[in-house]
Amino acid sequence: MRPMKIMSVVLFCALIPIKGAIRCPDTPWGRHMIGEINRILLKIRPLPEYRHIIEEWAVPTGQGAAYWKVYEEQVLNVKK
């Protein structure tokens, strides 16, 4: 049996973190699934409906303006 590797990746460099995580095994299937998820996210993340879901789930109360500023700078500018 192969030893399992666990990795943590910092996804923010601001006081207000962007929450989110997806876990898949480090296998061809897992890498393919991450690629598919990333492809879908690139399409839906600028949509108002997606933003509404994120706002209800992840935006700290009273910190919406700062959160969306970080989101636009660090998330929407990622093209890969």
Side-chain angles (χ1 to χ4, degrees):
M1 183 175 200
R2 206 172 72 164
M4 298 189 67
K5 297 178 184 177
I6 297 176
M7 181 172 59
S8 176
V9 179
V10 177
L11 297 176
F12 60 91
C13 297
L15 296 175
I16 300 173
I18 303 298
K19 296 179 183 179
I22 298 169
R23 293 182 184 174
C24 289
D26 187 10
T27 64
W29 176 87
R31 290 186 289 279
H32 173 75
M33 294 311 298
I34 293 292
E36 287 296 303
I37 292 165
N38 287 341
R39 184 182 60 76
I40 292 166
L41 285 173
L42 283 171
K43 289 182 180 181
I44 67 169
R45 67 185 183 189
L47 300 177
E49 297 87 353
Y50 181 76
R51 185 173 168 140
H52 177 72
I53 291 167
I54 295 300
E55 189 160 14
E56 289 191 354
W57 173 65
V59 178
T61 303
Q63 297 184 29
Y67 183 92
W68 292 116
K69 182 178 185 301
V70 172
Y71 183 85
E72 289 171 12
E73 292 171 356
Q74 296 184 17
V75 176
L76 291 183
N77 287 332
V78 175
K79 303 298 181 200
K80 183 179 176 190

Coordinates of all heavy atoms in Angstrom, one line a residue:
M1 N 0.8 -1.2 0.0 CA 0.0 0.0 0.0 C 0.9 1.2 0.0 O 1.8 1.3 0.7 CB -0.9 0.0 1.2 CG -1.9 1.1 1.3 SD -3.0 0.9 2.7 CE -4.3 1.9 2.2
R2 N 0.6 2.2 -0.8 CA 1.3 3.4 -1.0 C 1.0 4.4 0.2 O -0.2 4.5 0.5 CB 0.9 4.1 -2.3 CG 1.9 5.0 -2.9 CD 1.5 5.4 -4.3 NE 0.3 6.3 -4.2 CZ -0.1 7.1 -5.1 NH1 0.5 7.0 -6.3 NH2 -1.1 7.9 -5.0
P3 N 2.0 5.1 0.8 CA 1.7 6.0 1.8 C 0.8 7.2 1.2 O 1.0 7.6 0.1 CB 3.0 6.5 2.3 CG 4.0 6.1 1.3 CD 3.4 5.0 0.5
M4 N -0.1 7.6 2.0 CA -1.0 8.7 1.6 C -0.3 10.1 1.9 O 0.4 10.3 2.9 CB -2.3 8.7 2.3 CG -3.1 7.4 2.0 SD -4.7 7.4 2.6 CE -5.5 8.7 1.6
K5 N -0.5 11.0 1.0 CA 0.0 12.3 1.1 C -1.1 13.3 1.4 O -2.1 13.2 0.7 CB 0.8 12.8 -0.2 CG 2.0 11.9 -0.5 CD 2.6 12.4 -1.8 CE 3.8 11.5 -2.2 NZ 4.4 11.9 -3.4
I6 N -0.9 14.1 2.3 CA -1.9 15.2 2.6 C -1.3 16.5 2.4 O -0.2 16.7 2.8 CB -2.5 15.1 4.1 CG1 -3.2 13.7 4.2 CG2 -3.4 16.2 4.4 CD1 -3.6 13.4 5.6
M7 N -2.0 17.4 1.7 CA -1.4 18.7 1.4 C -2.4 19.7 1.7 O -3.6 19.6 1.5 CB -1.0 18.7 -0.1 CG -0.4 20.1 -0.5 SD 0.2 20.1 -2.2 CE -1.3 19.7 -3.2
S8 N -1.9 20.8 2.3 CA -2.8 22.0 2.5 C -2.3 23.1 1.7 O -1.1 23.4 1.6 CB -2.7 22.3 4.0 OG -3.4 23.5 4.3
V9 N -3.2 23.8 1.0 CA -2.8 24.9 0.2 C -3.5 26.2 0.6 O -4.7 26.2 0.8 CB -3.2 24.7 -1.3 CG1 -2.8 25.8 -2.2 CG2 -2.6 23.4 -1.8
V10 N -2.7 27.2 0.9 CA -3.3 28.5 1.3 C -3.9 29.2 0.0 O -3.2 29.3 -1.0 CB -2.2 29.4 1.9 CG1 -2.8 30.8 2.2 CG2 -1.6 28.8 3.1
L11 N -5.1 29.5 0.1 CA -5.9 30.1 -1.0 C -6.1 31.6 -0.9 O -6.8 32.2 -1.7 CB -7.2 29.4 -1.2 CG -7.1 27.9 -1.5 CD1 -8.5 27.3 -1.5 CD2 -6.4 27.6 -2.8
F12 N -5.5 32.2 0.1 CA -5.7 33.6 0.2 C -4.5 34.3 0.9 O -3.8 33.7 1.5 CB -7.0 33.9 1.1 CG -6.9 33.3 2.5 CD1 -6.4 34.1 3.5 CD2 -7.3 32.0 2.7 CE1 -6.3 33.5 4.8 CE2 -7.2 31.5 4.0 CZ -6.8 32.2 5.0
C13 N -4.4 35.6 0.7 CA -3.4 36.4 1.3 C -4.0 37.7 1.7 O -3.5 38.8 1.4 CB -2.3 36.7 0.2 SG -1.4 35.2 -0.3
A14 N -5.1 37.6 2.4 CA -5.8 38.7 2.9 C -6.5 38.4 4.2 O -6.5 37.3 4.6 CB -6.9 39.1 1.8
L15 N -7.0 39.4 4.9 CA -7.7 39.2 6.1 C -9.0 38.4 6.0 O -9.5 37.8 6.9 CB -8.0 40.5 6.8 CG -6.7 41.3 7.2 CD1 -7.1 42.7 7.8 CD2 -5.9 40.5 8.2
I16 N -9.6 38.5 4.8 CA -10.9 37.8 4.6 C -10.6 36.6 3.6 O -10.3 36.9 2.4 CB -11.9 38.8 4.0 CG1 -12.2 39.9 4.9 CG2 -13.2 38.0 3.6 CD1 -13.0 41.0 4.5
P17 N -10.6 35.4 4.1 CA -10.3 34.3 3.2 C -11.4 33.9 2.2 O -12.5 34.2 2.5 CB -10.1 33.1 4.2 CG -10.9 33.5 5.4 CD -10.9 35.0 5.4
I18 N -11.0 33.4 1.1 CA -11.9 32.8 0.2 C -12.1 31.4 0.5 O -11.1 30.6 0.5 CB -11.4 33.0 -1.3 CG1 -11.2 34.4 -1.6 CG2 -12.4 32.3 -2.3 CD1 -12.4 35.3 -1.6
K19 N -13.2 30.9 1.0 CA -13.4 29.5 1.4 C -13.7 28.6 0.2 O -14.4 29.0 -0.7 CB -14.6 29.4 2.4 CG -14.4 30.2 3.7 CD -15.6 30.1 4.5 CE -15.5 30.9 5.8 NZ -16.6 30.8 6.6
G20 N -13.1 27.5 0.3 CA -13.4 26.5 -0.7 C -12.4 25.4 -0.7 O -11.2 25.6 -0.5
A21 N -12.8 24.2 -1.0 CA -11.9 23.1 -1.1 C -12.5 21.9 -1.8 O -13.7 21.7 -1.7 CB -11.4 22.6 0.3
I22 N -11.7 21.2 -2.6 CA -12.2 20.0 -3.3 C -11.1 19.0 -3.1 O -9.9 19.3 -3.3 CB -12.4 20.3 -4.8 CG1 -13.5 21.4 -5.0 CG2 -12.7 19.0 -5.5 CD1 -13.6 21.9 -6.4
R23 N -11.5 17.8 -2.7 CA -10.5 16.7 -2.5 C -10.8 15.6 -3.4 O -12.0 15.2 -3.6 CB -10.6 16.2 -1.1 CG -10.2 17.2 0.0 CD -10.2 16.7 1.3 NE -9.9 17.7 2.3 CZ -10.0 17.5 3.6 NH1 -10.4 16.4 4.1 NH2 -9.6 18.5 4.4
C24 N -9.8 15.1 -4.1 CA -9.9 13.9 -4.9 C -8.6 13.2 -4.7 O -7.6 13.7 -4.4 CB -10.0 14.3 -6.4 SG -11.6 15.1 -6.8
P25 N -8.6 11.9 -5.0 CA -7.4 11.1 -4.9 C -6.4 11.5 -5.9 O -6.7 12.0 -7.0 CB -7.9 9.6 -5.1 CG -9.2 9.8 -5.8 CD -9.8 11.1 -5.4
D26 N -5.1 11.3 -5.6 CA -4.0 11.6 -6.6 C -3.9 10.5 -7.5 O -2.9 9.7 -7.5 CB -2.7 11.9 -5.8 CG -1.6 12.4 -6.7 OD1 -1.9 12.7 -7.9 OD2 -0.5 12.5 -6.3
T27 N -4.9 10.3 -8.4 CA -4.9 9.3 -9.4 C -5.3 10.0 -10.7 O -5.7 11.1 -10.7 CB -6.0 8.2 -9.1 OG1 -7.3 8.9 -9.1 CG2 -5.7 7.6 -7.7
P28 N -5.2 9.3 -11.8 CA -5.7 9.9 -13.1 C -7.1 10.3 -13.0 O -7.5 11.4 -13.5 CB -5.5 8.7 -14.1 CG -4.3 8.0 -13.6 CD -4.5 8.0 -12.1
W29 N -8.0 9.5 -12.4 CA -9.4 9.9 -12.2 C -9.5 11.1 -11.4 O -10.2 12.0 -11.8 CB -10.1 8.7 -11.6 CG -11.6 9.1 -11.3 CD1 -12.6 8.9 -12.1 CD2 -12.1 9.7 -10.1 NE1 -13.8 9.4 -11.6 CE2 -13.5 9.9 -10.3 CE3 -11.5 10.1 -8.9 CZ2 -14.3 10.4 -9.3 CZ3 -12.4 10.6 -7.9 CH2 -13.7 10.8 -8.2
G30 N -8.8 11.2 -10.3 CA -8.9 12.4 -9.4 C -8.4 13.6 -10.1 O -9.0 14.7 -10.0
R31 N -7.3 13.6 -10.8 CA -6.8 14.7 -11.5 C -7.8 15.1 -12.6 O -8.0 16.3 -12.9 CB -5.4 14.4 -12.1 CG -4.3 14.3 -11.0 CD -2.9 14.2 -11.5 NE -2.7 12.9 -12.1 CZ -2.4 11.8 -11.4 NH1 -2.3 11.8 -10.1 NH2 -2.1 10.6 -12.0
H32 N -8.4 14.2 -13.3 CA -9.4 14.5 -14.3 C -10.6 15.2 -13.7 O -11.1 16.2 -14.2 CB -9.9 13.2 -15.0 CG -11.0 13.4 -15.9 ND1 -10.9 14.0 -17.2 CD2 -12.3 13.1 -15.8 CE1 -12.0 14.1 -17.8 NE2 -13.0 13.6 -17.0
M33 N -11.1 14.7 -12.5 CA -12.2 15.3 -11.9 C -11.9 16.8 -11.4 O -12.7 17.7 -11.6 CB -12.6 14.5 -10.7 CG -13.2 13.1 -11.0 SD -14.4 13.2 -12.4 CE -15.7 14.1 -11.6
I34 N -10.7 17.0 -10.9 CA -10.3 18.4 -10.5 C -10.3 19.3 -11.8 O -10.8 20.4 -11.7 CB -8.9 18.4 -9.8 CG1 -9.0 17.7 -8.5 CG2 -8.4 19.8 -9.7 CD1 -9.8 18.4 -7.4
G35 N -9.8 18.7 -12.9 CA -9.8 19.5 -14.1 C -11.2 19.8 -14.6 O -11.5 21.0 -15.0
E36 N -12.1 18.9 -14.5 CA -13.5 19.1 -14.8 C -14.2 20.2 -13.9 O -14.9 21.1 -14.4 CB -14.3 17.8 -14.8 CG -14.0 16.9 -15.9 CD -14.4 17.5 -17.3 OE1 -15.6 17.8 -17.5 OE2 -13.5 17.6 -18.1
I37 N -13.9 20.0 -12.6 CA -14.5 21.0 -11.7 C -14.0 22.4 -12.0 O -14.7 23.4 -12.0 CB -14.2 20.6 -10.2 CG1 -15.0 19.3 -9.9 CG2 -14.5 21.7 -9.2 CD1 -14.5 18.5 -8.7
N38 N -12.7 22.5 -12.2 CA -12.1 23.8 -12.5 C -12.7 24.4 -13.8 O -12.9 25.6 -13.8 CB -10.6 23.7 -12.6 CG -9.9 23.5 -11.3 OD1 -10.4 23.8 -10.3 ND2 -8.7 23.0 -11.3
R39 N -12.9 23.6 -14.8 CA -13.5 24.0 -16.0 C -14.9 24.6 -15.8 O -15.2 25.7 -16.3 CB -13.5 22.9 -17.0 CG -14.0 23.2 -18.4 CD -14.1 22.0 -19.3 NE -15.0 21.0 -18.9 CZ -16.3 21.0 -18.9 NH1 -16.9 22.0 -19.5 NH2 -17.0 20.0 -18.5
I40 N -15.7 23.9 -15.0 CA -17.0 24.4 -14.7 C -17.0 25.7 -13.9 O -17.7 26.6 -14.2 CB -17.8 23.3 -14.0 CG1 -18.1 22.1 -14.9 CG2 -19.1 23.8 -13.4 CD1 -18.5 20.8 -14.3
L41 N -16.1 25.7 -12.9 CA -16.0 26.9 -12.1 C -15.6 28.1 -12.9 O -16.1 29.2 -12.6 CB -15.0 26.7 -10.9 CG -15.5 25.8 -9.8 CD1 -14.4 25.6 -8.8 CD2 -16.7 26.5 -9.1
L42 N -14.7 28.0 -13.9 CA -14.4 29.1 -14.7 C -15.6 29.7 -15.4 O -15.7 30.9 -15.6 CB -13.3 28.7 -15.7 CG -11.9 28.6 -15.2 CD1 -11.0 27.9 -16.3 CD2 -11.3 29.9 -14.8
K43 N -16.5 28.8 -15.7 CA -17.7 29.3 -16.4 C -18.8 29.9 -15.5 O -19.4 30.9 -15.9 CB -18.4 28.1 -17.2 CG -17.6 27.7 -18.4 CD -18.4 26.6 -19.1 CE -17.6 26.1 -20.3 NZ -18.3 25.0 -21.0
I44 N -18.9 29.4 -14.3 CA -20.0 29.8 -13.4 C -19.7 30.9 -12.4 O -20.5 31.6 -11.9 CB -20.7 28.6 -12.7 CG1 -19.8 28.0 -11.7 CG2 -21.3 27.6 -13.7 CD1 -20.5 27.0 -10.8
R45 N -18.4 31.0 -12.1 CA -18.0 31.9 -10.9 C -18.4 33.4 -11.2 O -18.6 34.1 -10.2 CB -16.6 31.7 -10.5 CG -15.6 32.1 -11.5 CD -14.2 31.8 -11.1 NE -13.3 32.3 -12.1 CZ -12.0 32.1 -12.1 NH1 -11.5 31.3 -11.2 NH2 -11.3 32.6 -13.0
P46 N -18.4 33.9 -12.4 CA -18.8 35.3 -12.6 C -20.4 35.5 -12.6 O -20.8 36.6 -12.5 CB -18.3 35.7 -13.9 CG -17.8 34.5 -14.6 CD -17.9 33.3 -13.6
L47 N -21.1 34.4 -12.6 CA -22.6 34.5 -12.7 C -23.2 35.0 -11.4 O -22.8 34.7 -10.3 CB -23.2 33.2 -13.0 CG -22.8 32.5 -14.3 CD1 -23.5 31.2 -14.5 CD2 -23.2 33.4 -15.5
P48 N -24.2 35.9 -11.5 CA -24.9 36.4 -10.2 C -25.5 35.3 -9.3 O -25.4 35.4 -8.1 CB -26.0 37.3 -10.8 CG -25.7 37.5 -12.2 CD -24.8 36.4 -12.7
E49 N -26.0 34.2 -10.0 CA -26.5 33.1 -9.2 C -25.4 32.4 -8.3 O -25.7 32.1 -7.2 CB -27.2 32.0 -10.1 CG -28.3 32.5 -10.9 CD -28.0 33.2 -12.2 OE1 -26.8 33.4 -12.5 OE2 -28.9 33.5 -13.0
Y50 N -24.3 32.2 -8.9 CA -23.1 31.6 -8.1 C -22.7 32.6 -7.0 O -22.5 32.2 -5.9 CB -22.0 31.3 -9.1 CG -20.8 30.7 -8.4 CD1 -20.8 29.4 -8.1 CD2 -19.7 31.4 -8.1 CE1 -19.8 28.8 -7.4 CE2 -18.6 30.8 -7.5 CZ -18.6 29.5 -7.2 OH -17.6 28.9 -6.6
R51 N -22.6 33.9 -7.4 CA -22.2 34.8 -6.3 C -23.2 34.9 -5.2 O -22.8 35.0 -4.0 CB -22.1 36.2 -7.0 CG -21.6 37.3 -6.1 CD -21.3 38.6 -6.8 NE -21.1 39.6 -5.9 CZ -20.2 40.6 -6.0 NH1 -19.5 40.6 -7.1 NH2 -20.0 41.5 -5.1
H52 N -24.5 34.7 -5.4 CA -25.5 34.7 -4.4 C -25.3 33.5 -3.5 O -25.3 33.6 -2.2 CB -26.9 34.7 -5.0 CG -28.0 34.6 -4.0 ND1 -28.3 35.6 -3.2 CD2 -28.8 33.5 -3.7 CE1 -29.3 35.2 -2.4 NE2 -29.6 34.0 -2.6
I53 N -25.0 32.3 -4.1 CA -24.7 31.1 -3.3 C -23.5 31.3 -2.4 O -23.5 31.0 -1.2 CB -24.6 29.9 -4.2 CG1 -25.9 29.5 -4.8 CG2 -24.0 28.7 -3.4 CD1 -25.8 28.6 -6.0
I54 N -22.4 31.9 -2.9 CA -21.2 32.1 -2.2 C -21.5 33.1 -1.1 O -21.0 32.9 0.0 CB -20.1 32.6 -3.1 CG1 -19.7 31.5 -4.1 CG2 -18.9 33.0 -2.3 CD1 -19.2 30.2 -3.5
E55 N -22.2 34.1 -1.4 CA -22.5 35.2 -0.4 C -23.2 34.6 0.8 O -22.9 34.9 2.0 CB -23.4 36.3 -1.0 CG -23.5 37.5 -0.1 CD -23.9 38.7 -0.9 OE1 -24.3 38.6 -2.0 OE2 -23.8 39.8 -0.3
E56 N -24.2 33.7 0.6 CA -24.9 33.1 1.7 C -24.1 32.1 2.5 O -24.2 31.9 3.7 CB -26.2 32.4 1.2 CG -27.2 33.5 0.8 CD -28.6 32.8 0.5 OE1 -28.7 31.6 0.6 OE2 -29.5 33.6 0.3
W57 N -23.1 31.5 1.8 CA -22.3 30.4 2.4 C -21.0 30.9 3.1 O -20.7 30.5 4.2 CB -22.0 29.3 1.4 CG -21.0 28.3 1.8 CD1 -21.3 27.4 2.8 CD2 -19.7 28.0 1.3 NE1 -20.2 26.6 3.0 CE2 -19.2 27.0 2.1 CE3 -19.0 28.6 0.3 CZ2 -18.0 26.4 1.8 CZ3 -17.7 28.1 0.1 CH2 -17.2 27.0 0.8
A58 N -20.4 31.8 2.4 CA -19.0 32.1 2.8 C -18.7 33.5 3.3 O -17.6 33.7 3.9 CB -18.1 31.7 1.7
V59 N -19.5 34.5 2.9 CA -19.1 35.9 3.2 C -19.4 36.2 4.7 O -20.6 36.1 5.1 CB -19.9 36.9 2.3 CG1 -19.6 38.3 2.6 CG2 -19.6 36.6 0.8
P60 N -18.4 36.6 5.4 CA -18.6 37.0 6.8 C -19.6 38.2 6.9 O -19.5 39.1 6.1 CB -17.2 37.4 7.3 CG -16.3 36.8 6.4 CD -17.0 36.7 5.1
T61 N -20.5 38.1 7.9 CA -21.5 39.2 8.1 C -20.8 40.5 8.3 O -19.8 40.7 9.0 CB -22.3 38.9 9.4 OG1 -22.9 37.6 9.2 CG2 -23.4 40.0 9.6
G62 N -21.2 41.5 7.5 CA -20.7 42.9 7.6 C -19.4 43.1 6.8 O -18.8 44.2 6.9
Q63 N -18.9 42.0 6.1 CA -17.6 42.2 5.4 C -17.7 41.9 4.0 O -16.8 41.6 3.3 CB -16.6 41.2 6.1 CG -16.3 41.5 7.5 CD -15.2 40.6 8.1 OE1 -14.4 40.2 7.4 NE2 -15.3 40.4 9.4
G64 N -19.0 42.1 3.4 CA -19.2 41.8 2.0 C -18.3 42.6 1.1 O -17.8 42.1 0.1
A65 N -18.2 43.9 1.3 CA -17.4 44.7 0.3 C -16.0 44.3 0.3 O -15.4 44.1 -0.8 CB -17.5 46.2 0.7
A66 N -15.4 44.0 1.4 CA -14.0 43.6 1.5 C -13.8 42.2 0.9 O -12.9 41.9 0.1 CB -13.5 43.6 2.9
Y67 N -14.8 41.3 1.2 CA -14.8 40.0 0.6 C -14.8 40.0 -0.9 O -14.0 39.3 -1.6 CB -15.9 39.1 1.2 CG -15.9 37.7 0.7 CD1 -15.3 36.7 1.5 CD2 -16.5 37.3 -0.5 CE1 -15.3 35.4 1.0 CE2 -16.5 36.0 -0.9 CZ -15.9 35.1 -0.2 OH -15.8 33.8 -0.6
W68 N -15.8 40.7 -1.5 CA -15.9 40.7 -2.9 C -14.7 41.4 -3.6 O -14.4 41.1 -4.7 CB -17.2 41.3 -3.3 CG -18.4 40.4 -2.9 CD1 -19.3 40.7 -2.0 CD2 -18.6 39.1 -3.3 NE1 -20.2 39.6 -1.8 CE2 -19.7 38.6 -2.6 CE3 -18.0 38.2 -4.2 CZ2 -20.2 37.3 -2.8 CZ3 -18.5 37.0 -4.4 CH2 -19.6 36.5 -3.7
K69 N -14.1 42.4 -2.9 CA -12.9 43.0 -3.5 C -11.8 41.9 -3.6 O -11.2 41.8 -4.7 CB -12.4 44.1 -2.6 CG -11.2 44.8 -3.1 CD -10.8 46.0 -2.2 CE -9.6 46.8 -2.7 NZ -8.4 46.1 -3.0
V70 N -11.6 41.1 -2.6 CA -10.6 40.1 -2.6 C -11.0 39.0 -3.7 O -10.2 38.5 -4.4 CB -10.4 39.4 -1.2 CG1 -9.5 38.2 -1.3 CG2 -9.8 40.4 -0.3
Y71 N -12.2 38.7 -3.7 CA -12.8 37.7 -4.6 C -12.5 38.1 -6.1 O -12.0 37.3 -6.9 CB -14.3 37.5 -4.4 CG -14.9 36.4 -5.3 CD1 -14.9 35.1 -4.9 CD2 -15.5 36.8 -6.5 CE1 -15.5 34.1 -5.7 CE2 -16.1 35.8 -7.3 CZ -16.1 34.5 -6.9 OH -16.7 33.5 -7.7
E72 N -12.8 39.4 -6.4 CA -12.6 39.8 -7.8 C -11.1 39.9 -8.1 O -10.7 39.6 -9.2 CB -13.2 41.2 -7.9 CG -14.7 41.1 -8.0 CD -15.5 42.4 -7.9 OE1 -14.8 43.5 -8.1 OE2 -16.7 42.4 -7.7
E73 N -10.2 40.3 -7.2 CA -8.8 40.4 -7.4 C -8.1 39.0 -7.5 O -7.2 38.8 -8.3 CB -8.1 41.2 -6.4 CG -8.5 42.7 -6.4 CD -8.0 43.5 -5.2 OE1 -7.4 42.9 -4.3 OE2 -8.2 44.7 -5.2
Q74 N -8.5 38.1 -6.6 CA -7.8 36.9 -6.5 C -8.4 35.6 -7.1 O -7.8 34.6 -7.3 CB -7.4 36.6 -5.0 CG -6.5 37.6 -4.4 CD -6.1 37.3 -3.0 OE1 -6.3 36.2 -2.5 NE2 -5.6 38.3 -2.3
V75 N -9.7 35.7 -7.3 CA -10.5 34.5 -7.8 C -10.8 34.8 -9.3 O -10.5 34.0 -10.1 CB -11.7 34.2 -7.0 CG1 -12.5 33.1 -7.6 CG2 -11.3 33.8 -5.6
L76 N -11.5 35.9 -9.6 CA -12.0 36.1 -10.9 C -10.8 36.3 -11.9 O -10.9 36.0 -13.1 CB -12.9 37.3 -11.0 CG -14.3 37.0 -10.3 CD1 -15.2 38.2 -10.5 CD2 -15.0 35.8 -10.8
N77 N -9.6 36.7 -11.4 CA -8.5 36.9 -12.3 C -7.7 35.6 -12.6 O -6.8 35.7 -13.4 CB -7.5 38.0 -11.7 CG -8.1 39.4 -11.8 OD1 -8.9 39.7 -12.7 ND2 -7.7 40.2 -10.9
V78 N -8.1 34.5 -11.9 CA -7.4 33.2 -12.2 C -8.0 32.7 -13.5 O -9.3 32.5 -13.5 CB -7.6 32.3 -11.0 CG1 -7.0 30.9 -11.4 CG2 -6.9 32.9 -9.8
K79 N -7.2 32.4 -14.4 CA -7.8 31.9 -15.7 C -7.6 30.4 -15.9 O -8.1 29.9 -16.9 CB -7.1 32.7 -16.9 CG -7.3 34.2 -16.8 CD -8.7 34.6 -16.9 CE -8.8 36.1 -16.8 NZ -10.1 36.5 -16.4
K80 N -6.8 29.8 -15.1 CA -6.5 28.4 -15.4 C -7.5 27.5 -14.6 O -7.9 27.7 -13.5 CB -5.1 28.0 -14.9 CG -4.7 26.6 -15.2 CD -3.3 26.4 -14.8 CE -3.0 24.9 -15.0 NZ -1.7 24.5 -14.4

